[in-house]
Amino acid sequence: MKFPASYYNPISLIGSIIAGVNIVIILFFLIAMMFFNVGGSYIGLYIYMILPIFLISGLIMIPIGMIRRTRRLKRIGEDGVKKGLKIDLDDKKQRNAMAVFVLGSFVFLLLTAVGSYEAFHFTESNEFCGLLCHTVMEPEYEAYEGSSHARVKCVECHVGAGADWYVKSKLSGMYQVYSVLFKKFPKPIPTPIENLRPAQETCEKCHWPEKFYSYRIQNEKHYLADSANTEWNIQLKMKTGSEHIAMGLVDGIHWHINKDVKIEYIASSSEREFVPWVRYINLATGDSVVYQDIYDTMDPTLLDSLEVREMDCIDCHNRPSHDYLPPQEFTDLLIASGQIPVELPEVKTLAMEVFNNTYADRDTARQVIEKRTLEFYSSNYPQIMEENRKLVDKAIEGFMYGFSKNIFPEMKASWDVYPNHIGHIEYNGCFRCHNGNHMNSDNQVISRDCNLCHTILAQGTKENYKSTSINESLEFIHPVDIDESWKEYACFECHRYLY
Ligand code: HEC
Ligand code: HEC
Ligand code: HEC
Ligand code: HEC
Ligand code: HEC
Ligand code: HEC
């Protein structure tokens, strides 16, 4: 088959070879992926993004070569070149070229359509968001994999439906690619996200506030840092909704997102952990009440300069899928699940000691933790080391498992930098407003009543477990004797710095 003379030049020929080779590779990968189910998370990157760049560059080289060649032929006046653009289908060479051009364009357009559709899908996939920039996204991805949202795609919360947010996310995505390539990204990645899509447009696609539950029973298991790792249980009835679901969100915890309620606040730190100013607006009556923290006061001009934020789901559920647990919490969970043996004396105390250190990377952590654990049991419990060494080895594996799921030294990501606003034990959480110090002009405070948000149905050790009926509440007993100080201090003021 012959092509116009202008085609026969090095640039066009090299372009054709590049394009041809890439088409073959792409088809090969596609077939391999479809029929033999091979290829990991990166194959999409090659098929839909990298190889097409070469393919298109090859295709562009063909006309460039031809134009250069034509110009040259014109200059030296060789034959076969006519002035202007005339297509003569009687000429066999031109007919061939034309057929190849039409067929090629058709195939190319088809591939482009399929390719861009797949490229779109690929950039929306969890592999693209979570695995491609492995070190950067590792903490978020690991935590996500262990969350209730592990089957919800990253983009369903971070982008949502609609073209405008798609474009916005791709624009900021381009900056992110740049910052990863040139290592300009911050460690840890700052939270909160500056322009996260409003929760109503993402969370409420799946969670419908009209149909929230009334209550939720929560069982918590703790192990004290004593020689027996004493088990301490607490059962709470969380008052998430109203007494009866038909009443809507008239009271209970989800009252804050009632259609008639608007709560605005000003945070004094960028992580939104301290809230000196709150305004509650009743949208039905138009009344509004301002509460200010009597201890954490702020200069009015400074207050005016800060962002007023309207409360939504994220102001409580800020860690729905990236929850880095504090060591005391994940250790309790691992003891409860048996991954850290409860029979091993002082294992909770030791866990708190080793997790209280910071490590440069995971390998160093493993070395230090392993060494310290072996040393601890050798010198304090030599009999266990001799007769039951496997318990100690199991504990080390348990420690490292907890570490690998919750602490990410490379990205400096851990519970300490990513507070969870639900609750009030290790973080300020609900007590950002409900600490009993936020007062309005009538000297009323936002309630800190222990029965406002939950009741305690049962508590105590295994041997001494006290319980009551579902409509009653026990008075809280602090697991270790700290006198009445839990009534005066916020729990997090001790618990954040316990170990
Ligand atoms: C259920 C919804 C949801 C899903 C699914 C989800 N995220 Fe998030 N993500 C959030 C919320 C909420 C925040 C915190 C927002 C805030 O506080 O401003 C967040 C924060 C982040 C941050 C900022 C750092 C931080 O921890 O605050 C990164 C990075 C991130 N997500 C990446 C991902 C990746 C990658 C995936 C998929 C593997 C994913 N997210 C899936 C809801 C989600
Ligand atoms: C694509 C659907 C989807 C989206 C979007 C979504 N979720 Fe979920 N969510 C789920 C599913 C599914 C579950 C698991 C339900 C279960 O375990 O019964 C869940 C569970 C939860 C739970 C209970 C988890 C637990 O462990 O107690 C909370 C709280 C929650 N989601 C909050 C949010 C918030 C906040 C957002 C927005 C940032 C959000 N969800 C976005 C589907 C979604
Ligand atoms: C004032 C804080 C607060 C706000 C605002 C809030 N939640 Fe919750 N939500 C809670 C608490 C506390 C629980 C109880 C469970 C727990 O402690 O994790 C809960 C439970 C849930 C659950 C699981 C139990 C259930 O009732 O189904 C879902 C799902 C949920 N919230 C979704 C949302 C969504 C979606 C929004 C925004 C429209 C929202 N929440 C706003 C505090 C809040
Ligand atoms: C930004 C401030 C703020 C935060 C954070 C906050 N609340 Fe509130 N909450 C309020 C205000 C204001 C009221 C109304 C006080 C009043 O009218 O006395 C309120 C009322 C309540 C009520 C009573 C609702 C009713 O009328 O029955 C419950 C329950 C509640 N909050 C639970 C929580 C929980 C649980 C959290 C943490 C997950 C939380 N709140 C976090 C500001 C906040
Ligand atoms: C404004 C709402 C609110 C108030 C007021 C409040 N709590 Fe809580 N509390 C919560 C929430 C929300 C959680 C659940 C955290 C979670 O889901 O892990 C919680 C959890 C707990 C737990 C279980 C912790 C665990 O991990 O085992 C205890 C115990 C507790 N609260 C005691 C108290 C006591 C005592 C008071 C009174 C000083 C009090 N709470 C006041 C909202 C509140
Ligand atoms: C004066 C400091 C202080 C205050 C305030 C305080 N605690 Fe504690 N808490 C402790 C100490 C010390 C321990 C024992 C730690 C251990 O044995 O691991 C403890 C242990 C606990 C434990 C079990 C241990 C575990 O696994 O985490 C729970 C649950 C607990 N406290 C809840 C609360 C709650 C809820 C509040 C607030 C109402 C509170 N504490 C306020 C000091 C405090």
Side-chain angles (χ1 to χ4, degrees), residues 218 220 222 234 236 238 422-424 430 434 448-450 453-454 476:
Q218 226 160 291
E220 307 285 351
H222 298 276
I234 306 169
L236 297 163
M238 300 297 310
I422 293 251
H424 51 81
C430 309
H434 287 273
R448 182 188 188 264
D449 178 358
C450 299
C453 311
H454 48 64
F476 175 66

mmCIF file with all atom_site columns, all heavy atoms in Angstrom, residues 218 220 222 234 236 238 422-424 430 434 448-450 453-454 476, ligand 5:
data_model
loop_
_atom_site.group_PDB
_atom_site.id
_atom_site.type_symbol
_atom_site.label_atom_id
_atom_site.label_alt_id
_atom_site.label_comp_id
_atom_site.label_asym_id
_atom_site.label_entity_id
_atom_site.label_seq_id
_atom_site.pdbx_PDB_ins_code
_atom_site.Cartn_x
_atom_site.Cartn_y
_atom_site.Cartn_z
_atom_site.occupancy
_atom_site.B_iso_or_equiv
_atom_site.pdbx_formal_charge
_atom_site.auth_seq_id
_atom_site.auth_comp_id
_atom_site.auth_asym_id
_atom_site.auth_atom_id
_atom_site.pdbx_PDB_model_num
ATOM   1   N  N   . GLN A 1 218 ? -24.228 1.378  73.237 1.00 0.00 ? 218 GLN A N   1
ATOM   2   C  CA  . GLN A 1 218 ? -22.790 1.266  72.993 1.00 0.00 ? 218 GLN A CA  1
ATOM   3   C  C   . GLN A 1 218 ? -22.133 0.544  74.163 1.00 0.00 ? 218 GLN A C   1
ATOM   4   O  O   . GLN A 1 218 ? -22.306 0.945  75.314 1.00 0.00 ? 218 GLN A O   1
ATOM   5   C  CB  . GLN A 1 218 ? -22.219 2.682  72.861 1.00 0.00 ? 218 GLN A CB  1
ATOM   6   C  CG  . GLN A 1 218 ? -21.285 2.841  71.688 1.00 0.00 ? 218 GLN A CG  1
ATOM   7   C  CD  . GLN A 1 218 ? -21.127 4.284  71.275 1.00 0.00 ? 218 GLN A CD  1
ATOM   8   O  OE1 . GLN A 1 218 ? -22.068 4.890  70.759 1.00 0.00 ? 218 GLN A OE1 1
ATOM   9   N  NE2 . GLN A 1 218 ? -19.955 4.844  71.503 1.00 0.00 ? 218 GLN A NE2 1
ATOM   10  N  N   . GLU A 1 220 ? -18.661 -0.384 75.885 1.00 0.00 ? 220 GLU A N   1
ATOM   11  C  CA  . GLU A 1 220 ? -17.231 -0.054 75.878 1.00 0.00 ? 220 GLU A CA  1
ATOM   12  C  C   . GLU A 1 220 ? -16.516 -0.969 76.860 1.00 0.00 ? 220 GLU A C   1
ATOM   13  O  O   . GLU A 1 220 ? -17.018 -1.245 77.946 1.00 0.00 ? 220 GLU A O   1
ATOM   14  C  CB  . GLU A 1 220 ? -17.005 1.401  76.322 1.00 0.00 ? 220 GLU A CB  1
ATOM   15  C  CG  . GLU A 1 220 ? -17.810 2.427  75.564 1.00 0.00 ? 220 GLU A CG  1
ATOM   16  C  CD  . GLU A 1 220 ? -17.289 2.696  74.166 1.00 0.00 ? 220 GLU A CD  1
ATOM   17  O  OE1 . GLU A 1 220 ? -16.179 2.202  73.840 1.00 0.00 ? 220 GLU A OE1 1
ATOM   18  O  OE2 . GLU A 1 220 ? -17.988 3.375  73.394 1.00 0.00 ? 220 GLU A OE2 1
ATOM   19  N  N   . HIS A 1 222 ? -12.804 -1.500 78.768 1.00 0.00 ? 222 HIS A N   1
ATOM   20  C  CA  . HIS A 1 222 ? -11.499 -0.899 79.049 1.00 0.00 ? 222 HIS A CA  1
ATOM   21  C  C   . HIS A 1 222 ? -10.667 -1.846 79.881 1.00 0.00 ? 222 HIS A C   1
ATOM   22  O  O   . HIS A 1 222 ? -11.212 -2.698 80.592 1.00 0.00 ? 222 HIS A O   1
ATOM   23  C  CB  . HIS A 1 222 ? -11.676 0.411  79.826 1.00 0.00 ? 222 HIS A CB  1
ATOM   24  C  CG  . HIS A 1 222 ? -12.433 1.442  79.076 1.00 0.00 ? 222 HIS A CG  1
ATOM   25  N  ND1 . HIS A 1 222 ? -11.852 2.269  78.171 1.00 0.00 ? 222 HIS A ND1 1
ATOM   26  C  CD2 . HIS A 1 222 ? -13.746 1.769  79.080 1.00 0.00 ? 222 HIS A CD2 1
ATOM   27  C  CE1 . HIS A 1 222 ? -12.758 3.075  77.650 1.00 0.00 ? 222 HIS A CE1 1
ATOM   28  N  NE2 . HIS A 1 222 ? -13.926 2.787  78.184 1.00 0.00 ? 222 HIS A NE2 1
ATOM   29  N  N   . ILE A 1 234 ? -18.447 -0.409 80.379 1.00 0.00 ? 234 ILE A N   1
ATOM   30  C  CA  . ILE A 1 234 ? -19.444 0.662  80.448 1.00 0.00 ? 234 ILE A CA  1
ATOM   31  C  C   . ILE A 1 234 ? -20.448 0.421  79.330 1.00 0.00 ? 234 ILE A C   1
ATOM   32  O  O   . ILE A 1 234 ? -20.058 0.188  78.184 1.00 0.00 ? 234 ILE A O   1
ATOM   33  C  CB  . ILE A 1 234 ? -18.815 2.061  80.242 1.00 0.00 ? 234 ILE A CB  1
ATOM   34  C  CG1 . ILE A 1 234 ? -17.655 2.284  81.213 1.00 0.00 ? 234 ILE A CG1 1
ATOM   35  C  CG2 . ILE A 1 234 ? -19.856 3.151  80.419 1.00 0.00 ? 234 ILE A CG2 1
ATOM   36  C  CD1 . ILE A 1 234 ? -16.831 3.512  80.893 1.00 0.00 ? 234 ILE A CD1 1
ATOM   37  N  N   . LEU A 1 236 ? -23.606 2.298  77.452 1.00 0.00 ? 236 LEU A N   1
ATOM   38  C  CA  . LEU A 1 236 ? -24.265 3.600  77.343 1.00 0.00 ? 236 LEU A CA  1
ATOM   39  C  C   . LEU A 1 236 ? -25.454 3.501  76.411 1.00 0.00 ? 236 LEU A C   1
ATOM   40  O  O   . LEU A 1 236 ? -25.409 2.770  75.414 1.00 0.00 ? 236 LEU A O   1
ATOM   41  C  CB  . LEU A 1 236 ? -23.311 4.628  76.732 1.00 0.00 ? 236 LEU A CB  1
ATOM   42  C  CG  . LEU A 1 236 ? -22.032 4.997  77.458 1.00 0.00 ? 236 LEU A CG  1
ATOM   43  C  CD1 . LEU A 1 236 ? -21.087 5.684  76.491 1.00 0.00 ? 236 LEU A CD1 1
ATOM   44  C  CD2 . LEU A 1 236 ? -22.340 5.922  78.618 1.00 0.00 ? 236 LEU A CD2 1
ATOM   45  N  N   . MET A 1 238 ? -26.931 5.886  73.920 1.00 0.00 ? 238 MET A N   1
ATOM   46  C  CA  . MET A 1 238 ? -26.723 7.177  73.274 1.00 0.00 ? 238 MET A CA  1
ATOM   47  C  C   . MET A 1 238 ? -28.065 7.686  72.787 1.00 0.00 ? 238 MET A C   1
ATOM   48  O  O   . MET A 1 238 ? -28.755 7.019  72.033 1.00 0.00 ? 238 MET A O   1
ATOM   49  C  CB  . MET A 1 238 ? -25.794 7.040  72.057 1.00 0.00 ? 238 MET A CB  1
ATOM   50  C  CG  . MET A 1 238 ? -24.405 6.513  72.330 1.00 0.00 ? 238 MET A CG  1
ATOM   51  S  SD  . MET A 1 238 ? -23.405 7.549  73.381 1.00 0.00 ? 238 MET A SD  1
ATOM   52  C  CE  . MET A 1 238 ? -23.598 9.126  72.613 1.00 0.00 ? 238 MET A CE  1
ATOM   53  N  N   . ILE A 1 422 ? -16.340 13.470 68.105 1.00 0.00 ? 422 ILE A N   1
ATOM   54  C  CA  . ILE A 1 422 ? -17.431 12.731 68.766 1.00 0.00 ? 422 ILE A CA  1
ATOM   55  C  C   . ILE A 1 422 ? -16.939 12.283 70.140 1.00 0.00 ? 422 ILE A C   1
ATOM   56  O  O   . ILE A 1 422 ? -15.903 11.649 70.232 1.00 0.00 ? 422 ILE A O   1
ATOM   57  C  CB  . ILE A 1 422 ? -17.842 11.497 67.930 1.00 0.00 ? 422 ILE A CB  1
ATOM   58  C  CG1 . ILE A 1 422 ? -18.480 11.944 66.627 1.00 0.00 ? 422 ILE A CG1 1
ATOM   59  C  CG2 . ILE A 1 422 ? -18.717 10.562 68.732 1.00 0.00 ? 422 ILE A CG2 1
ATOM   60  C  CD1 . ILE A 1 422 ? -19.934 11.724 66.489 1.00 0.00 ? 422 ILE A CD1 1
ATOM   61  N  N   . GLY A 1 423 ? -17.708 12.600 71.176 1.00 0.00 ? 423 GLY A N   1
ATOM   62  C  CA  . GLY A 1 423 ? -17.313 12.166 72.512 1.00 0.00 ? 423 GLY A CA  1
ATOM   63  C  C   . GLY A 1 423 ? -16.541 13.249 73.247 1.00 0.00 ? 423 GLY A C   1
ATOM   64  O  O   . GLY A 1 423 ? -16.532 14.421 72.848 1.00 0.00 ? 423 GLY A O   1
ATOM   65  N  N   . HIS A 1 424 ? -15.856 12.883 74.329 1.00 0.00 ? 424 HIS A N   1
ATOM   66  C  CA  . HIS A 1 424 ? -15.181 13.907 75.141 1.00 0.00 ? 424 HIS A CA  1
ATOM   67  C  C   . HIS A 1 424 ? -14.098 13.333 76.044 1.00 0.00 ? 424 HIS A C   1
ATOM   68  O  O   . HIS A 1 424 ? -13.739 13.923 77.043 1.00 0.00 ? 424 HIS A O   1
ATOM   69  C  CB  . HIS A 1 424 ? -16.212 14.652 76.003 1.00 0.00 ? 424 HIS A CB  1
ATOM   70  C  CG  . HIS A 1 424 ? -17.087 13.710 76.788 1.00 0.00 ? 424 HIS A CG  1
ATOM   71  N  ND1 . HIS A 1 424 ? -16.694 13.138 77.968 1.00 0.00 ? 424 HIS A ND1 1
ATOM   72  C  CD2 . HIS A 1 424 ? -18.312 13.206 76.518 1.00 0.00 ? 424 HIS A CD2 1
ATOM   73  C  CE1 . HIS A 1 424 ? -17.657 12.338 78.402 1.00 0.00 ? 424 HIS A CE1 1
ATOM   74  N  NE2 . HIS A 1 424 ? -18.650 12.348 77.539 1.00 0.00 ? 424 HIS A NE2 1
ATOM   75  N  N   . CYS A 1 430 ? -17.562 17.075 72.171 1.00 0.00 ? 430 CYS A N   1
ATOM   76  C  CA  . CYS A 1 430 ? -18.825 17.744 72.500 1.00 0.00 ? 430 CYS A CA  1
ATOM   77  C  C   . CYS A 1 430 ? -18.590 18.840 73.541 1.00 0.00 ? 430 CYS A C   1
ATOM   78  O  O   . CYS A 1 430 ? -19.325 19.831 73.579 1.00 0.00 ? 430 CYS A O   1
ATOM   79  C  CB  . CYS A 1 430 ? -19.831 16.754 73.062 1.00 0.00 ? 430 CYS A CB  1
ATOM   80  S  SG  . CYS A 1 430 ? -20.071 15.280 72.065 1.00 0.00 ? 430 CYS A SG  1
ATOM   81  N  N   . HIS A 1 434 ? -20.224 22.027 75.241 1.00 0.00 ? 434 HIS A N   1
ATOM   82  C  CA  . HIS A 1 434 ? -20.987 21.498 76.378 1.00 0.00 ? 434 HIS A CA  1
ATOM   83  C  C   . HIS A 1 434 ? -20.128 21.352 77.638 1.00 0.00 ? 434 HIS A C   1
ATOM   84  O  O   . HIS A 1 434 ? -20.316 20.407 78.391 1.00 0.00 ? 434 HIS A O   1
ATOM   85  C  CB  . HIS A 1 434 ? -21.575 20.134 76.015 1.00 0.00 ? 434 HIS A CB  1
ATOM   86  C  CG  . HIS A 1 434 ? -22.733 20.203 75.055 1.00 0.00 ? 434 HIS A CG  1
ATOM   87  N  ND1 . HIS A 1 434 ? -24.025 20.371 75.481 1.00 0.00 ? 434 HIS A ND1 1
ATOM   88  C  CD2 . HIS A 1 434 ? -22.780 20.150 73.708 1.00 0.00 ? 434 HIS A CD2 1
ATOM   89  C  CE1 . HIS A 1 434 ? -24.832 20.395 74.428 1.00 0.00 ? 434 HIS A CE1 1
ATOM   90  N  NE2 . HIS A 1 434 ? -24.105 20.266 73.333 1.00 0.00 ? 434 HIS A NE2 1
ATOM   91  N  N   . ARG A 1 448 ? -24.061 20.568 80.516 1.00 0.00 ? 448 ARG A N   1
ATOM   92  C  CA  . ARG A 1 448 ? -23.001 19.573 80.647 1.00 0.00 ? 448 ARG A CA  1
ATOM   93  C  C   . ARG A 1 448 ? -23.535 18.369 81.421 1.00 0.00 ? 448 ARG A C   1
ATOM   94  O  O   . ARG A 1 448 ? -22.785 17.486 81.811 1.00 0.00 ? 448 ARG A O   1
ATOM   95  C  CB  . ARG A 1 448 ? -21.830 20.224 81.399 1.00 0.00 ? 448 ARG A CB  1
ATOM   96  C  CG  . ARG A 1 448 ? -20.596 19.361 81.607 1.00 0.00 ? 448 ARG A CG  1
ATOM   97  C  CD  . ARG A 1 448 ? -19.639 20.087 82.537 1.00 0.00 ? 448 ARG A CD  1
ATOM   98  N  NE  . ARG A 1 448 ? -18.354 19.413 82.650 1.00 0.00 ? 448 ARG A NE  1
ATOM   99  C  CZ  . ARG A 1 448 ? -18.053 18.582 83.627 1.00 0.00 ? 448 ARG A CZ  1
ATOM   100 N  NH1 . ARG A 1 448 ? -18.925 18.308 84.558 1.00 0.00 ? 448 ARG A NH1 1
ATOM   101 N  NH2 . ARG A 1 448 ? -16.857 18.023 83.666 1.00 0.00 ? 448 ARG A NH2 1
ATOM   102 N  N   . ASP A 1 449 ? -24.847 18.336 81.621 1.00 0.00 ? 449 ASP A N   1
ATOM   103 C  CA  . ASP A 1 449 ? -25.482 17.258 82.367 1.00 0.00 ? 449 ASP A CA  1
ATOM   104 C  C   . ASP A 1 449 ? -25.078 15.898 81.781 1.00 0.00 ? 449 ASP A C   1
ATOM   105 O  O   . ASP A 1 449 ? -25.227 15.658 80.584 1.00 0.00 ? 449 ASP A O   1
ATOM   106 C  CB  . ASP A 1 449 ? -27.007 17.456 82.270 1.00 0.00 ? 449 ASP A CB  1
ATOM   107 C  CG  . ASP A 1 449 ? -27.787 16.361 82.966 1.00 0.00 ? 449 ASP A CG  1
ATOM   108 O  OD1 . ASP A 1 449 ? -27.143 15.424 83.490 1.00 0.00 ? 449 ASP A OD1 1
ATOM   109 O  OD2 . ASP A 1 449 ? -29.021 16.440 82.978 1.00 0.00 ? 449 ASP A OD2 1
ATOM   110 N  N   . CYS A 1 450 ? -24.582 15.014 82.648 1.00 0.00 ? 450 CYS A N   1
ATOM   111 C  CA  . CYS A 1 450 ? -24.106 13.708 82.162 1.00 0.00 ? 450 CYS A CA  1
ATOM   112 C  C   . CYS A 1 450 ? -25.221 12.885 81.519 1.00 0.00 ? 450 CYS A C   1
ATOM   113 O  O   . CYS A 1 450 ? -24.943 11.923 80.810 1.00 0.00 ? 450 CYS A O   1
ATOM   114 C  CB  . CYS A 1 450 ? -23.483 12.897 83.297 1.00 0.00 ? 450 CYS A CB  1
ATOM   115 S  SG  . CYS A 1 450 ? -22.053 13.701 84.020 1.00 0.00 ? 450 CYS A SG  1
ATOM   116 N  N   . CYS A 1 453 ? -26.816 13.577 76.858 1.00 0.00 ? 453 CYS A N   1
ATOM   117 C  CA  . CYS A 1 453 ? -26.516 12.916 75.582 1.00 0.00 ? 453 CYS A CA  1
ATOM   118 C  C   . CYS A 1 453 ? -26.616 11.394 75.678 1.00 0.00 ? 453 CYS A C   1
ATOM   119 O  O   . CYS A 1 453 ? -26.780 10.714 74.686 1.00 0.00 ? 453 CYS A O   1
ATOM   120 C  CB  . CYS A 1 453 ? -25.114 13.284 75.121 1.00 0.00 ? 453 CYS A CB  1
ATOM   121 S  SG  . CYS A 1 453 ? -24.812 15.047 75.166 1.00 0.00 ? 453 CYS A SG  1
ATOM   122 N  N   . HIS A 1 454 ? -26.427 10.886 76.869 1.00 0.00 ? 454 HIS A N   1
ATOM   123 C  CA  . HIS A 1 454 ? -26.481 9.426  77.044 1.00 0.00 ? 454 HIS A CA  1
ATOM   124 C  C   . HIS A 1 454 ? -26.849 9.116  78.474 1.00 0.00 ? 454 HIS A C   1
ATOM   125 O  O   . HIS A 1 454 ? -26.715 9.965  79.357 1.00 0.00 ? 454 HIS A O   1
ATOM   126 C  CB  . HIS A 1 454 ? -25.126 8.779  76.720 1.00 0.00 ? 454 HIS A CB  1
ATOM   127 C  CG  . HIS A 1 454 ? -23.954 9.454  77.379 1.00 0.00 ? 454 HIS A CG  1
ATOM   128 N  ND1 . HIS A 1 454 ? -23.788 9.499  78.742 1.00 0.00 ? 454 HIS A ND1 1
ATOM   129 C  CD2 . HIS A 1 454 ? -22.904 10.137 76.855 1.00 0.00 ? 454 HIS A CD2 1
ATOM   130 C  CE1 . HIS A 1 454 ? -22.680 10.164 79.034 1.00 0.00 ? 454 HIS A CE1 1
ATOM   131 N  NE2 . HIS A 1 454 ? -22.123 10.579 77.896 1.00 0.00 ? 454 HIS A NE2 1
ATOM   132 N  N   . PHE A 1 476 ? -22.311 8.049  87.109 1.00 0.00 ? 476 PHE A N   1
ATOM   133 C  CA  . PHE A 1 476 ? -21.004 7.627  86.609 1.00 0.00 ? 476 PHE A CA  1
ATOM   134 C  C   . PHE A 1 476 ? -20.052 7.320  87.763 1.00 0.00 ? 476 PHE A C   1
ATOM   135 O  O   . PHE A 1 476 ? -19.975 8.067  88.735 1.00 0.00 ? 476 PHE A O   1
ATOM   136 C  CB  . PHE A 1 476 ? -20.418 8.729  85.718 1.00 0.00 ? 476 PHE A CB  1
ATOM   137 C  CG  . PHE A 1 476 ? -19.026 8.464  85.242 1.00 0.00 ? 476 PHE A CG  1
ATOM   138 C  CD1 . PHE A 1 476 ? -18.755 7.408  84.378 1.00 0.00 ? 476 PHE A CD1 1
ATOM   139 C  CD2 . PHE A 1 476 ? -17.969 9.273  85.640 1.00 0.00 ? 476 PHE A CD2 1
ATOM   140 C  CE1 . PHE A 1 476 ? -17.469 7.159  83.929 1.00 0.00 ? 476 PHE A CE1 1
ATOM   141 C  CE2 . PHE A 1 476 ? -16.673 9.034  85.193 1.00 0.00 ? 476 PHE A CE2 1
ATOM   142 C  CZ  . PHE A 1 476 ? -16.430 7.972  84.335 1.00 0.00 ? 476 PHE A CZ  1
HETATM 143 C  C1  . HEC B 2 .   ? -22.932 16.912 75.000 1.00 0.00 ? 5   HEC B C1  1
HETATM 144 C  C2  . HEC B 2 .   ? -23.081 15.509 75.101 1.00 0.00 ? 5   HEC B C2  1
HETATM 145 C  C3  . HEC B 2 .   ? -22.414 14.767 76.240 1.00 0.00 ? 5   HEC B C3  1
HETATM 146 C  C4  . HEC B 2 .   ? -22.353 15.116 77.565 1.00 0.00 ? 5   HEC B C4  1
HETATM 147 C  C5  . HEC B 2 .   ? -22.923 16.368 78.229 1.00 0.00 ? 5   HEC B C5  1
HETATM 148 C  C6  . HEC B 2 .   ? -21.634 14.077 78.242 1.00 0.00 ? 5   HEC B C6  1
HETATM 149 N  N1  . HEC B 2 .   ? -21.266 13.107 77.348 1.00 0.00 ? 5   HEC B N1  1
HETATM 150 FE FE1 . HEC B 2 .   ? -20.312 11.375 77.765 1.00 0.00 ? 5   HEC B FE1 1
HETATM 151 N  N2  . HEC B 2 .   ? -20.256 10.913 75.788 1.00 0.00 ? 5   HEC B N2  1
HETATM 152 C  C7  . HEC B 2 .   ? -20.844 11.658 74.788 1.00 0.00 ? 5   HEC B C7  1
HETATM 153 C  C8  . HEC B 2 .   ? -20.640 10.987 73.527 1.00 0.00 ? 5   HEC B C8  1
HETATM 154 C  C9  . HEC B 2 .   ? -21.130 11.477 72.166 1.00 0.00 ? 5   HEC B C9  1
HETATM 155 C  C10 . HEC B 2 .   ? -19.940 9.793  73.807 1.00 0.00 ? 5   HEC B C10 1
HETATM 156 C  C11 . HEC B 2 .   ? -19.615 8.675  72.822 1.00 0.00 ? 5   HEC B C11 1
HETATM 157 C  C12 . HEC B 2 .   ? -18.275 8.714  72.248 1.00 0.00 ? 5   HEC B C12 1
HETATM 158 C  C13 . HEC B 2 .   ? -18.110 7.555  71.277 1.00 0.00 ? 5   HEC B C13 1
HETATM 159 O  O1  . HEC B 2 .   ? -18.946 7.344  70.408 1.00 0.00 ? 5   HEC B O1  1
HETATM 160 O  O2  . HEC B 2 .   ? -17.106 6.880  71.429 1.00 0.00 ? 5   HEC B O2  1
HETATM 161 C  C14 . HEC B 2 .   ? -19.713 9.786  75.248 1.00 0.00 ? 5   HEC B C14 1
HETATM 162 C  C15 . HEC B 2 .   ? -19.034 8.780  75.933 1.00 0.00 ? 5   HEC B C15 1
HETATM 163 C  C16 . HEC B 2 .   ? -18.973 8.689  77.301 1.00 0.00 ? 5   HEC B C16 1
HETATM 164 C  C17 . HEC B 2 .   ? -18.402 7.574  78.027 1.00 0.00 ? 5   HEC B C17 1
HETATM 165 C  C18 . HEC B 2 .   ? -17.842 6.319  77.413 1.00 0.00 ? 5   HEC B C18 1
HETATM 166 C  C19 . HEC B 2 .   ? -16.425 6.515  77.096 1.00 0.00 ? 5   HEC B C19 1
HETATM 167 C  C20 . HEC B 2 .   ? -15.774 5.240  76.710 1.00 0.00 ? 5   HEC B C20 1
HETATM 168 O  O3  . HEC B 2 .   ? -15.021 5.248  75.738 1.00 0.00 ? 5   HEC B O3  1
HETATM 169 O  O4  . HEC B 2 .   ? -15.980 4.254  77.385 1.00 0.00 ? 5   HEC B O4  1
HETATM 170 C  C21 . HEC B 2 .   ? -18.502 7.864  79.355 1.00 0.00 ? 5   HEC B C21 1
HETATM 171 C  C22 . HEC B 2 .   ? -18.074 7.009  80.506 1.00 0.00 ? 5   HEC B C22 1
HETATM 172 C  C23 . HEC B 2 .   ? -19.117 9.159  79.454 1.00 0.00 ? 5   HEC B C23 1
HETATM 173 N  N3  . HEC B 2 .   ? -19.382 9.633  78.197 1.00 0.00 ? 5   HEC B N3  1
HETATM 174 C  C24 . HEC B 2 .   ? -19.353 9.798  80.648 1.00 0.00 ? 5   HEC B C24 1
HETATM 175 C  C25 . HEC B 2 .   ? -19.869 11.076 80.764 1.00 0.00 ? 5   HEC B C25 1
HETATM 176 C  C26 . HEC B 2 .   ? -19.990 11.795 82.005 1.00 0.00 ? 5   HEC B C26 1
HETATM 177 C  C27 . HEC B 2 .   ? -19.565 11.269 83.343 1.00 0.00 ? 5   HEC B C27 1
HETATM 178 C  C28 . HEC B 2 .   ? -20.545 12.996 81.703 1.00 0.00 ? 5   HEC B C28 1
HETATM 179 C  C29 . HEC B 2 .   ? -20.880 14.127 82.660 1.00 0.00 ? 5   HEC B C29 1
HETATM 180 C  C30 . HEC B 2 .   ? -19.734 14.784 83.233 1.00 0.00 ? 5   HEC B C30 1
HETATM 181 C  C31 . HEC B 2 .   ? -20.775 13.040 80.291 1.00 0.00 ? 5   HEC B C31 1
HETATM 182 N  N4  . HEC B 2 .   ? -20.349 11.856 79.744 1.00 0.00 ? 5   HEC B N4  1
HETATM 183 C  C32 . HEC B 2 .   ? -21.342 14.067 79.595 1.00 0.00 ? 5   HEC B C32 1
HETATM 184 C  C33 . HEC B 2 .   ? -21.523 12.825 74.928 1.00 0.00 ? 5   HEC B C33 1
HETATM 185 C  C34 . HEC B 2 .   ? -21.716 13.508 76.110 1.00 0.00 ? 5   HEC B C34 1
#
